[in-house]
Amino acid sequence: MHLRTNQQRRASRPTWLLMAASLFLAPTAFGVASVDDEPAKEAGTEDEEDKEEILALVGGEIHTGLGGVLRDATILVRDGKIEAFGYDVDVPEEAEVVDVSGLRVYPGLIAVGSFGLFGSSGSLDDSVDPYNQNMTLALAAGITTAVEGNTVAKLKRGHVDGLVVNSSAFESMSYSNGNPQGQLKVEADLKGAADYIRAYRAWEQEKKSNKEAKEPSKKGVDQQSLRVLRGEVRPRFNADTRTDLLEVARLAQRFGFRPIINGCREGWTVADELGRAGATAIVTPRTRRPKDESLLREGGSSIENASILYEHGVNVVVVPASRGISLGGIVGQDLLHLPVEAGFAIRGGLPELAGLRSITIEAARVLGVDYRIGSIELGKDADLIVTDGDLLHYQTFVQWAIVDGEIVYDKQAEMFFAHIRPRPETALAPAEKMDSGEEAPADAPEGDPEGDSEGDSEGDAEGDSEGDAEGGDDEKPVTDETSGDGGGEEPESSEEPESSEETAGESGD
Amino acid sequence: MSERTSTLRSLFASAAVAALSMVSATAGGNDPLGVAPAPVKPAATAKPGAEGGPGLAIRSSKILTAEWQGRSVVNNGVVLVKDGRIEAVGSAAETEIPEGYSVYDAGDDWVMPGLVELHCHVAGAFGLNDTVYLTNPGVRASSDVIAGNPLLRVGLAAGVTTALYLPGSGTNIGGQGVLLRTGFEEYERAIIRDPGSMKLAQAGNPERWMLRPNRSFMNWHTRNTFKRGIAYAKEWEAYEKDGGAKPTINPQFEIFRSLRKNECQVSTHTQIYQVALMTLTMVHDELGIPVFIDHGTFDTWRLGAEVEKREMFAIIGPRGIDVPTRGFINWSGSNPEKIQGCVAGYQEMGTTRIGFNTDSPVIPQEELQLQAAMGVRYGFDNKNMDAVRGLTIVPAMACGLGDAIGSIEVGKIADLLIITGDPADPRSHVKHVWQSGESVYDTKEEPRLW
């Protein structure tokens, strides 16, 4: 094994486009982790160009996002895909190795709605600013994939190609009680499509015996309805009120498709119907709206919405109310705090694992991209985040974000959060532990901030020991791993400043 | 709502109170700060813990006592509540539960003091930003209160039991704030202290006042009002001391008599270094009026050392981060140096009395804890549990109620919460709230509000 910096590793990629872009776009500060390469080095490492890109995250606590937790395990990434993970993973000589002992590895988070993360307003195929500040901040929040407009794209910092995962995230349908004419049209379209499908199947049977049988005409059949009924797409409805939700649930049950429901504010009042319809709900747990007092039934928003929906079999996806990123000072409301929003769903009773899934695999599923991203599974894209604790704890920071096997964000290499609880091995870390020698009470409440009574059983079985690790003992992440931590990381940290300077100089030219 | 109201009413009706029998456990036995609620009417059966009722014993795996200094946590403990006050707190092994006490077993949930919010705008009808004059020291938020309104009620469900309801910041002195118990629906029972504070707002919002004053004039004008108020208060002080001709009451300046006696404080809506500096140098140093930083955001943290030198309080919110920008290319507000946590900044500069506020509804009342969580996230060192103090005892001390509420100590008012874990964690929720020993929110009895 040998250790290589990201800069070197990236240098072996043919990135002429990126180079050109970086000269114009990258302010010095952003150049640090993302701009690469000098021609000389490129030449020198020519043989490496043919080699595969291999990244190994060693010694971390792997949370697959599907319930599995592997402690002190290794993930091996080859050419951007997860090749292996577990305890007996052979790390090849040429792999770039990152020691993540004492840290956790999760699948990258997915924001099913966003704006401004790609630095462009038009089509992502045509214009992306790969050094956009918001992209870096979103990666710092753990987000590796986001929906901009109706395009699912990766936050592949420093790249302008290969971002788009799905250019058609959602198929919208409107079916609201407030528009009865529109409802009739949707019903007629679905009915027409259902009739067509039935006729088509009958014809398929019939033509086996009767060559003369006539294929049913597609004329006048609504194509979107056809795709919906064939299960090719899941339509998305905006619905919040009880009546609208019931309408959608019953329509879906009548025609046999699984709706995606955006908003779903009063879903908790009709969760059984939504569960029967196989719905997925995209919710903002902190939504606040009082009940319509003119109605007798219960209604309005409820902090328990996500939890109640989940209990009734509805898949839950979480988005914050604000889908941009703001540095205006008000914190805890936007995409920079996506896990916090999931935390509020957990406050309402959603199990911890479902909370994690609500911003990873369930999000991937509604976007139709779960075959590539959303969980740590063999063969999936290596979109990973490494955190210094429980992802859903308010104090946790993303240390590295990895997209397609490439480290695109390193907390200590960026100006934003590097000074906050710096990684022990890095230059910013205090020389001496500030609280060493102080007798922090072993049972101080921040030692186990999880409130172990709740929901911990799901993802992290060992609530207690973990709680101690992440609870705010900032300077000593996990007692028995601290020593290993420092040792393994040293080479990288000592190299980093150098290469930063190099690249900074580069982009200035 | 109506059902709950009637439940509450009957609860109040049953709050047996031999009037004026509020003696007992409290230090000194009297109530100099006026923080015990006025009893409504005597009735036969008071609930356990309430005034005149039997005792209440709360058992819990963790009690965050939140004293200003000290260990501030008791594991496997018991809190005894009698007549609306804390009678005892200690480990279960050492604290005997007297006979006849009703036992509430919180199990693995935690017990902590009710939260104190010093910058609240949701306790009334929003009719409190009358920008008639540039300074309106006589205007009272108490005239606008709707006690126990739905927004306060959600805040209560998040654990906020005390709120300083403040006038807006459209003028330099918006008027007088009022300190309220959020758990009661009758104003007479909700009110803790009127005036709760005098609201001072510097720069920023008052610059939009009709004549568009700028900062130097505003400082002159504010100082002028203060000096006239102080002169008025001094007349009364002289009269009270030496007699003579009784001064004429001037409602505009009455509050300065309270301020001079530290019976209420100036709460300053302050932001930006230079502006907060005037809070320190003008109000505190030059005029000698008790004052705390409220709504202290942006780069006011740079004054942390000066705040500490004066032993002042810094109550921070609604903005949790400050983003200093570098260089001259800054027209878009981007180009940050780093992301600086506001409360972390104060702490790094040496301030020890740090609390959190929401400016509700800017940050909803029920997200007061999230302010603490974000403070910790962005660098506030919480190893000594100062985030919990910043939600409870620190703001209580800032507004002069530190001897009565804000921590679980013998003799204090029993404003208590049952919470499922770390109070700052958004995943923890409040299950039960007692205000002055009376159960005012109970998720076993009513739907969860937050």
Side-chain angles (χ1 to χ4, degrees), chain B residues 418-438:
Chain B
I418 304 291
I419 187 163
T420 58
D422 174 9
D425 195 324
R427 293 173 295 180
S428 311
H429 76 272
V430 172
K431 287 183 167 177
H432 204 132
V433 180
W434 287 271
Q435 180 112 51
S436 305
E438 288 180 33

mmCIF file with all atom_site columns, all heavy atoms in Angstrom, chain B residues 418-438:
data_model
loop_
_atom_site.group_PDB
_atom_site.id
_atom_site.type_symbol
_atom_site.label_atom_id
_atom_site.label_alt_id
_atom_site.label_comp_id
_atom_site.label_asym_id
_atom_site.label_entity_id
_atom_site.label_seq_id
_atom_site.pdbx_PDB_ins_code
_atom_site.Cartn_x
_atom_site.Cartn_y
_atom_site.Cartn_z
_atom_site.occupancy
_atom_site.B_iso_or_equiv
_atom_site.pdbx_formal_charge
_atom_site.auth_seq_id
_atom_site.auth_comp_id
_atom_site.auth_asym_id
_atom_site.auth_atom_id
_atom_site.pdbx_PDB_model_num
ATOM 1   N N   . ILE B 1 418 ? -40.079 16.677 31.764 1.00 0.00 ? 418 ILE B N   1
ATOM 2   C CA  . ILE B 1 418 ? -39.604 15.323 31.492 1.00 0.00 ? 418 ILE B CA  1
ATOM 3   C C   . ILE B 1 418 ? -39.244 15.293 30.015 1.00 0.00 ? 418 ILE B C   1
ATOM 4   O O   . ILE B 1 418 ? -40.075 15.597 29.155 1.00 0.00 ? 418 ILE B O   1
ATOM 5   C CB  . ILE B 1 418 ? -40.712 14.270 31.754 1.00 0.00 ? 418 ILE B CB  1
ATOM 6   C CG1 . ILE B 1 418 ? -41.242 14.372 33.176 1.00 0.00 ? 418 ILE B CG1 1
ATOM 7   C CG2 . ILE B 1 418 ? -40.193 12.869 31.442 1.00 0.00 ? 418 ILE B CG2 1
ATOM 8   C CD1 . ILE B 1 418 ? -40.278 13.961 34.248 1.00 0.00 ? 418 ILE B CD1 1
ATOM 9   N N   . ILE B 1 419 ? -37.994 14.951 29.732 1.00 0.00 ? 419 ILE B N   1
ATOM 10  C CA  . ILE B 1 419 ? -37.529 14.971 28.347 1.00 0.00 ? 419 ILE B CA  1
ATOM 11  C C   . ILE B 1 419 ? -36.813 13.655 28.062 1.00 0.00 ? 419 ILE B C   1
ATOM 12  O O   . ILE B 1 419 ? -36.217 13.062 28.958 1.00 0.00 ? 419 ILE B O   1
ATOM 13  C CB  . ILE B 1 419 ? -36.647 16.212 28.091 1.00 0.00 ? 419 ILE B CB  1
ATOM 14  C CG1 . ILE B 1 419 ? -36.284 16.358 26.616 1.00 0.00 ? 419 ILE B CG1 1
ATOM 15  C CG2 . ILE B 1 419 ? -35.405 16.220 28.962 1.00 0.00 ? 419 ILE B CG2 1
ATOM 16  C CD1 . ILE B 1 419 ? -35.778 17.750 26.245 1.00 0.00 ? 419 ILE B CD1 1
ATOM 17  N N   . THR B 1 420 ? -36.880 13.217 26.798 1.00 0.00 ? 420 THR B N   1
ATOM 18  C CA  . THR B 1 420 ? -36.410 11.861 26.505 1.00 0.00 ? 420 THR B CA  1
ATOM 19  C C   . THR B 1 420 ? -34.899 11.756 26.358 1.00 0.00 ? 420 THR B C   1
ATOM 20  O O   . THR B 1 420 ? -34.382 10.667 26.118 1.00 0.00 ? 420 THR B O   1
ATOM 21  C CB  . THR B 1 420 ? -37.061 11.326 25.210 1.00 0.00 ? 420 THR B CB  1
ATOM 22  O OG1 . THR B 1 420 ? -36.749 12.233 24.143 1.00 0.00 ? 420 THR B OG1 1
ATOM 23  C CG2 . THR B 1 420 ? -38.566 11.223 25.350 1.00 0.00 ? 420 THR B CG2 1
ATOM 24  N N   . GLY B 1 421 ? -34.188 12.857 26.481 1.00 0.00 ? 421 GLY B N   1
ATOM 25  C CA  . GLY B 1 421 ? -32.729 12.788 26.372 1.00 0.00 ? 421 GLY B CA  1
ATOM 26  C C   . GLY B 1 421 ? -32.131 14.173 26.309 1.00 0.00 ? 421 GLY B C   1
ATOM 27  O O   . GLY B 1 421 ? -32.775 15.150 26.692 1.00 0.00 ? 421 GLY B O   1
ATOM 28  N N   . ASP B 1 422 ? -30.909 14.235 25.825 1.00 0.00 ? 422 ASP B N   1
ATOM 29  C CA  . ASP B 1 422 ? -30.181 15.498 25.681 1.00 0.00 ? 422 ASP B CA  1
ATOM 30  C C   . ASP B 1 422 ? -31.119 16.608 25.205 1.00 0.00 ? 422 ASP B C   1
ATOM 31  O O   . ASP B 1 422 ? -31.679 16.526 24.109 1.00 0.00 ? 422 ASP B O   1
ATOM 32  C CB  . ASP B 1 422 ? -29.055 15.275 24.667 1.00 0.00 ? 422 ASP B CB  1
ATOM 33  C CG  . ASP B 1 422 ? -28.308 16.559 24.326 1.00 0.00 ? 422 ASP B CG  1
ATOM 34  O OD1 . ASP B 1 422 ? -28.547 17.588 24.990 1.00 0.00 ? 422 ASP B OD1 1
ATOM 35  O OD2 . ASP B 1 422 ? -27.484 16.523 23.395 1.00 0.00 ? 422 ASP B OD2 1
ATOM 36  N N   . PRO B 1 423 ? -31.311 17.643 25.998 1.00 0.00 ? 423 PRO B N   1
ATOM 37  C CA  . PRO B 1 423 ? -32.286 18.675 25.636 1.00 0.00 ? 423 PRO B CA  1
ATOM 38  C C   . PRO B 1 423 ? -31.966 19.404 24.340 1.00 0.00 ? 423 PRO B C   1
ATOM 39  O O   . PRO B 1 423 ? -32.863 19.925 23.687 1.00 0.00 ? 423 PRO B O   1
ATOM 40  C CB  . PRO B 1 423 ? -32.222 19.659 26.807 1.00 0.00 ? 423 PRO B CB  1
ATOM 41  C CG  . PRO B 1 423 ? -31.385 19.052 27.843 1.00 0.00 ? 423 PRO B CG  1
ATOM 42  C CD  . PRO B 1 423 ? -30.657 17.891 27.282 1.00 0.00 ? 423 PRO B CD  1
ATOM 43  N N   . ALA B 1 424 ? -30.692 19.450 23.972 1.00 0.00 ? 424 ALA B N   1
ATOM 44  C CA  . ALA B 1 424 ? -30.346 20.162 22.736 1.00 0.00 ? 424 ALA B CA  1
ATOM 45  C C   . ALA B 1 424 ? -30.652 19.328 21.495 1.00 0.00 ? 424 ALA B C   1
ATOM 46  O O   . ALA B 1 424 ? -30.824 19.873 20.413 1.00 0.00 ? 424 ALA B O   1
ATOM 47  C CB  . ALA B 1 424 ? -28.875 20.548 22.750 1.00 0.00 ? 424 ALA B CB  1
ATOM 48  N N   . ASP B 1 425 ? -30.740 18.040 21.657 1.00 0.00 ? 425 ASP B N   1
ATOM 49  C CA  . ASP B 1 425 ? -30.891 17.164 20.494 1.00 0.00 ? 425 ASP B CA  1
ATOM 50  C C   . ASP B 1 425 ? -32.307 17.262 19.936 1.00 0.00 ? 425 ASP B C   1
ATOM 51  O O   . ASP B 1 425 ? -33.272 17.037 20.658 1.00 0.00 ? 425 ASP B O   1
ATOM 52  C CB  . ASP B 1 425 ? -30.589 15.716 20.900 1.00 0.00 ? 425 ASP B CB  1
ATOM 53  C CG  . ASP B 1 425 ? -30.369 14.827 19.682 1.00 0.00 ? 425 ASP B CG  1
ATOM 54  O OD1 . ASP B 1 425 ? -31.048 15.037 18.657 1.00 0.00 ? 425 ASP B OD1 1
ATOM 55  O OD2 . ASP B 1 425 ? -29.525 13.920 19.767 1.00 0.00 ? 425 ASP B OD2 1
ATOM 56  N N   . PRO B 1 426 ? -32.431 17.593 18.651 1.00 0.00 ? 426 PRO B N   1
ATOM 57  C CA  . PRO B 1 426 ? -33.776 17.680 18.076 1.00 0.00 ? 426 PRO B CA  1
ATOM 58  C C   . PRO B 1 426 ? -34.553 16.371 18.205 1.00 0.00 ? 426 PRO B C   1
ATOM 59  O O   . PRO B 1 426 ? -35.771 16.362 18.108 1.00 0.00 ? 426 PRO B O   1
ATOM 60  C CB  . PRO B 1 426 ? -33.515 17.974 16.591 1.00 0.00 ? 426 PRO B CB  1
ATOM 61  C CG  . PRO B 1 426 ? -32.148 18.532 16.537 1.00 0.00 ? 426 PRO B CG  1
ATOM 62  C CD  . PRO B 1 426 ? -31.386 17.927 17.688 1.00 0.00 ? 426 PRO B CD  1
ATOM 63  N N   . ARG B 1 427 ? -33.841 15.272 18.412 1.00 0.00 ? 427 ARG B N   1
ATOM 64  C CA  . ARG B 1 427 ? -34.536 13.982 18.505 1.00 0.00 ? 427 ARG B CA  1
ATOM 65  C C   . ARG B 1 427 ? -35.192 13.762 19.866 1.00 0.00 ? 427 ARG B C   1
ATOM 66  O O   . ARG B 1 427 ? -36.007 12.860 20.024 1.00 0.00 ? 427 ARG B O   1
ATOM 67  C CB  . ARG B 1 427 ? -33.543 12.857 18.211 1.00 0.00 ? 427 ARG B CB  1
ATOM 68  C CG  . ARG B 1 427 ? -33.068 12.865 16.782 1.00 0.00 ? 427 ARG B CG  1
ATOM 69  C CD  . ARG B 1 427 ? -31.973 11.860 16.539 1.00 0.00 ? 427 ARG B CD  1
ATOM 70  N NE  . ARG B 1 427 ? -30.758 12.182 17.269 1.00 0.00 ? 427 ARG B NE  1
ATOM 71  C CZ  . ARG B 1 427 ? -29.642 11.458 17.231 1.00 0.00 ? 427 ARG B CZ  1
ATOM 72  N NH1 . ARG B 1 427 ? -29.603 10.357 16.521 1.00 0.00 ? 427 ARG B NH1 1
ATOM 73  N NH2 . ARG B 1 427 ? -28.588 11.830 17.913 1.00 0.00 ? 427 ARG B NH2 1
ATOM 74  N N   . SER B 1 428 ? -34.797 14.560 20.855 1.00 0.00 ? 428 SER B N   1
ATOM 75  C CA  . SER B 1 428 ? -35.413 14.407 22.177 1.00 0.00 ? 428 SER B CA  1
ATOM 76  C C   . SER B 1 428 ? -36.700 15.209 22.232 1.00 0.00 ? 428 SER B C   1
ATOM 77  O O   . SER B 1 428 ? -36.757 16.319 21.725 1.00 0.00 ? 428 SER B O   1
ATOM 78  C CB  . SER B 1 428 ? -34.479 14.948 23.262 1.00 0.00 ? 428 SER B CB  1
ATOM 79  O OG  . SER B 1 428 ? -33.187 14.443 23.109 1.00 0.00 ? 428 SER B OG  1
ATOM 80  N N   . HIS B 1 429 ? -37.711 14.662 22.874 1.00 0.00 ? 429 HIS B N   1
ATOM 81  C CA  . HIS B 1 429 ? -38.930 15.448 23.008 1.00 0.00 ? 429 HIS B CA  1
ATOM 82  C C   . HIS B 1 429 ? -39.422 15.484 24.448 1.00 0.00 ? 429 HIS B C   1
ATOM 83  O O   . HIS B 1 429 ? -39.081 14.631 25.257 1.00 0.00 ? 429 HIS B O   1
ATOM 84  C CB  . HIS B 1 429 ? -40.019 14.964 22.050 1.00 0.00 ? 429 HIS B CB  1
ATOM 85  C CG  . HIS B 1 429 ? -40.691 13.691 22.463 1.00 0.00 ? 429 HIS B CG  1
ATOM 86  N ND1 . HIS B 1 429 ? -40.201 12.459 22.100 1.00 0.00 ? 429 HIS B ND1 1
ATOM 87  C CD2 . HIS B 1 429 ? -41.807 13.459 23.196 1.00 0.00 ? 429 HIS B CD2 1
ATOM 88  C CE1 . HIS B 1 429 ? -40.991 11.517 22.594 1.00 0.00 ? 429 HIS B CE1 1
ATOM 89  N NE2 . HIS B 1 429 ? -41.975 12.090 23.265 1.00 0.00 ? 429 HIS B NE2 1
ATOM 90  N N   . VAL B 1 430 ? -40.207 16.505 24.712 1.00 0.00 ? 430 VAL B N   1
ATOM 91  C CA  . VAL B 1 430 ? -40.707 16.744 26.062 1.00 0.00 ? 430 VAL B CA  1
ATOM 92  C C   . VAL B 1 430 ? -42.010 15.983 26.245 1.00 0.00 ? 430 VAL B C   1
ATOM 93  O O   . VAL B 1 430 ? -42.913 16.059 25.409 1.00 0.00 ? 430 VAL B O   1
ATOM 94  C CB  . VAL B 1 430 ? -40.921 18.258 26.282 1.00 0.00 ? 430 VAL B CB  1
ATOM 95  C CG1 . VAL B 1 430 ? -41.617 18.527 27.602 1.00 0.00 ? 430 VAL B CG1 1
ATOM 96  C CG2 . VAL B 1 430 ? -39.591 18.993 26.197 1.00 0.00 ? 430 VAL B CG2 1
ATOM 97  N N   . LYS B 1 431 ? -42.091 15.248 27.343 1.00 0.00 ? 431 LYS B N   1
ATOM 98  C CA  . LYS B 1 431 ? -43.294 14.451 27.588 1.00 0.00 ? 431 LYS B CA  1
ATOM 99  C C   . LYS B 1 431 ? -44.237 15.086 28.606 1.00 0.00 ? 431 LYS B C   1
ATOM 100 O O   . LYS B 1 431 ? -45.431 14.808 28.599 1.00 0.00 ? 431 LYS B O   1
ATOM 101 C CB  . LYS B 1 431 ? -42.894 13.066 28.106 1.00 0.00 ? 431 LYS B CB  1
ATOM 102 C CG  . LYS B 1 431 ? -42.285 12.148 27.065 1.00 0.00 ? 431 LYS B CG  1
ATOM 103 C CD  . LYS B 1 431 ? -42.005 10.797 27.699 1.00 0.00 ? 431 LYS B CD  1
ATOM 104 C CE  . LYS B 1 431 ? -41.703 9.735  26.659 1.00 0.00 ? 431 LYS B CE  1
ATOM 105 N NZ  . LYS B 1 431 ? -41.359 8.454  27.313 1.00 0.00 ? 431 LYS B NZ  1
ATOM 106 N N   . HIS B 1 432 ? -43.658 15.866 29.494 1.00 0.00 ? 432 HIS B N   1
ATOM 107 C CA  . HIS B 1 432 ? -44.476 16.382 30.589 1.00 0.00 ? 432 HIS B CA  1
ATOM 108 C C   . HIS B 1 432 ? -43.890 17.712 31.052 1.00 0.00 ? 432 HIS B C   1
ATOM 109 O O   . HIS B 1 432 ? -42.675 17.859 31.103 1.00 0.00 ? 432 HIS B O   1
ATOM 110 C CB  . HIS B 1 432 ? -44.467 15.377 31.749 1.00 0.00 ? 432 HIS B CB  1
ATOM 111 C CG  . HIS B 1 432 ? -45.657 15.492 32.644 1.00 0.00 ? 432 HIS B CG  1
ATOM 112 N ND1 . HIS B 1 432 ? -46.412 14.409 33.037 1.00 0.00 ? 432 HIS B ND1 1
ATOM 113 C CD2 . HIS B 1 432 ? -46.237 16.562 33.239 1.00 0.00 ? 432 HIS B CD2 1
ATOM 114 C CE1 . HIS B 1 432 ? -47.401 14.815 33.824 1.00 0.00 ? 432 HIS B CE1 1
ATOM 115 N NE2 . HIS B 1 432 ? -47.308 16.114 33.956 1.00 0.00 ? 432 HIS B NE2 1
ATOM 116 N N   . VAL B 1 433 ? -44.745 18.664 31.348 1.00 0.00 ? 433 VAL B N   1
ATOM 117 C CA  . VAL B 1 433 ? -44.278 19.956 31.865 1.00 0.00 ? 433 VAL B CA  1
ATOM 118 C C   . VAL B 1 433 ? -45.068 20.309 33.116 1.00 0.00 ? 433 VAL B C   1
ATOM 119 O O   . VAL B 1 433 ? -46.300 20.217 33.131 1.00 0.00 ? 433 VAL B O   1
ATOM 120 C CB  . VAL B 1 433 ? -44.457 21.087 30.806 1.00 0.00 ? 433 VAL B CB  1
ATOM 121 C CG1 . VAL B 1 433 ? -43.958 22.416 31.368 1.00 0.00 ? 433 VAL B CG1 1
ATOM 122 C CG2 . VAL B 1 433 ? -43.750 20.747 29.508 1.00 0.00 ? 433 VAL B CG2 1
ATOM 123 N N   . TRP B 1 434 ? -44.344 20.698 34.150 1.00 0.00 ? 434 TRP B N   1
ATOM 124 C CA  . TRP B 1 434 ? -44.971 21.274 35.325 1.00 0.00 ? 434 TRP B CA  1
ATOM 125 C C   . TRP B 1 434 ? -44.591 22.745 35.412 1.00 0.00 ? 434 TRP B C   1
ATOM 126 O O   . TRP B 1 434 ? -43.423 23.108 35.251 1.00 0.00 ? 434 TRP B O   1
ATOM 127 C CB  . TRP B 1 434 ? -44.483 20.598 36.608 1.00 0.00 ? 434 TRP B CB  1
ATOM 128 C CG  . TRP B 1 434 ? -45.009 19.225 36.833 1.00 0.00 ? 434 TRP B CG  1
ATOM 129 C CD1 . TRP B 1 434 ? -46.160 18.867 37.473 1.00 0.00 ? 434 TRP B CD1 1
ATOM 130 C CD2 . TRP B 1 434 ? -44.377 17.994 36.445 1.00 0.00 ? 434 TRP B CD2 1
ATOM 131 N NE1 . TRP B 1 434 ? -46.294 17.499 37.498 1.00 0.00 ? 434 TRP B NE1 1
ATOM 132 C CE2 . TRP B 1 434 ? -45.212 16.939 36.869 1.00 0.00 ? 434 TRP B CE2 1
ATOM 133 C CE3 . TRP B 1 434 ? -43.203 17.687 35.766 1.00 0.00 ? 434 TRP B CE3 1
ATOM 134 C CZ2 . TRP B 1 434 ? -44.895 15.599 36.658 1.00 0.00 ? 434 TRP B CZ2 1
ATOM 135 C CZ3 . TRP B 1 434 ? -42.886 16.355 35.544 1.00 0.00 ? 434 TRP B CZ3 1
ATOM 136 C CH2 . TRP B 1 434 ? -43.724 15.330 35.984 1.00 0.00 ? 434 TRP B CH2 1
ATOM 137 N N   . GLN B 1 435 ? -45.577 23.575 35.644 1.00 0.00 ? 435 GLN B N   1
ATOM 138 C CA  . GLN B 1 435 ? -45.312 24.991 35.892 1.00 0.00 ? 435 GLN B CA  1
ATOM 139 C C   . GLN B 1 435 ? -45.722 25.271 37.329 1.00 0.00 ? 435 GLN B C   1
ATOM 140 O O   . GLN B 1 435 ? -46.862 25.011 37.718 1.00 0.00 ? 435 GLN B O   1
ATOM 141 C CB  . GLN B 1 435 ? -46.119 25.869 34.930 1.00 0.00 ? 435 GLN B CB  1
ATOM 142 C CG  . GLN B 1 435 ? -45.894 27.354 35.122 1.00 0.00 ? 435 GLN B CG  1
ATOM 143 C CD  . GLN B 1 435 ? -45.170 27.992 33.948 1.00 0.00 ? 435 GLN B CD  1
ATOM 144 O OE1 . GLN B 1 435 ? -45.555 27.820 32.806 1.00 0.00 ? 435 GLN B OE1 1
ATOM 145 N NE2 . GLN B 1 435 ? -44.110 28.724 34.240 1.00 0.00 ? 435 GLN B NE2 1
ATOM 146 N N   . SER B 1 436 ? -44.793 25.768 38.104 1.00 0.00 ? 436 SER B N   1
ATOM 147 C CA  . SER B 1 436 ? -45.046 26.013 39.526 1.00 0.00 ? 436 SER B CA  1
ATOM 148 C C   . SER B 1 436 ? -45.697 24.800 40.175 1.00 0.00 ? 436 SER B C   1
ATOM 149 O O   . SER B 1 436 ? -46.636 24.917 40.959 1.00 0.00 ? 436 SER B O   1
ATOM 150 C CB  . SER B 1 436 ? -45.945 27.233 39.716 1.00 0.00 ? 436 SER B CB  1
ATOM 151 O OG  . SER B 1 436 ? -45.382 28.337 39.062 1.00 0.00 ? 436 SER B OG  1
ATOM 152 N N   . GLY B 1 437 ? -45.217 23.627 39.820 1.00 0.00 ? 437 GLY B N   1
ATOM 153 C CA  . GLY B 1 437 ? -45.727 22.402 40.420 1.00 0.00 ? 437 GLY B CA  1
ATOM 154 C C   . GLY B 1 437 ? -47.024 21.904 39.833 1.00 0.00 ? 437 GLY B C   1
ATOM 155 O O   . GLY B 1 437 ? -47.493 20.828 40.186 1.00 0.00 ? 437 GLY B O   1
ATOM 156 N N   . GLU B 1 438 ? -47.628 22.662 38.926 1.00 0.00 ? 438 GLU B N   1
ATOM 157 C CA  . GLU B 1 438 ? -48.874 22.220 38.300 1.00 0.00 ? 438 GLU B CA  1
ATOM 158 C C   . GLU B 1 438 ? -48.574 21.593 36.952 1.00 0.00 ? 438 GLU B C   1
ATOM 159 O O   . GLU B 1 438 ? -47.824 22.140 36.148 1.00 0.00 ? 438 GLU B O   1
ATOM 160 C CB  . GLU B 1 438 ? -49.816 23.412 38.078 1.00 0.00 ? 438 GLU B CB  1
ATOM 161 C CG  . GLU B 1 438 ? -50.419 23.946 39.348 1.00 0.00 ? 438 GLU B CG  1
ATOM 162 C CD  . GLU B 1 438 ? -51.352 25.117 39.058 1.00 0.00 ? 438 GLU B CD  1
ATOM 163 O OE1 . GLU B 1 438 ? -52.005 25.118 37.991 1.00 0.00 ? 438 GLU B OE1 1
ATOM 164 O OE2 . GLU B 1 438 ? -51.406 26.028 39.891 1.00 0.00 ? 438 GLU B OE2 1
#
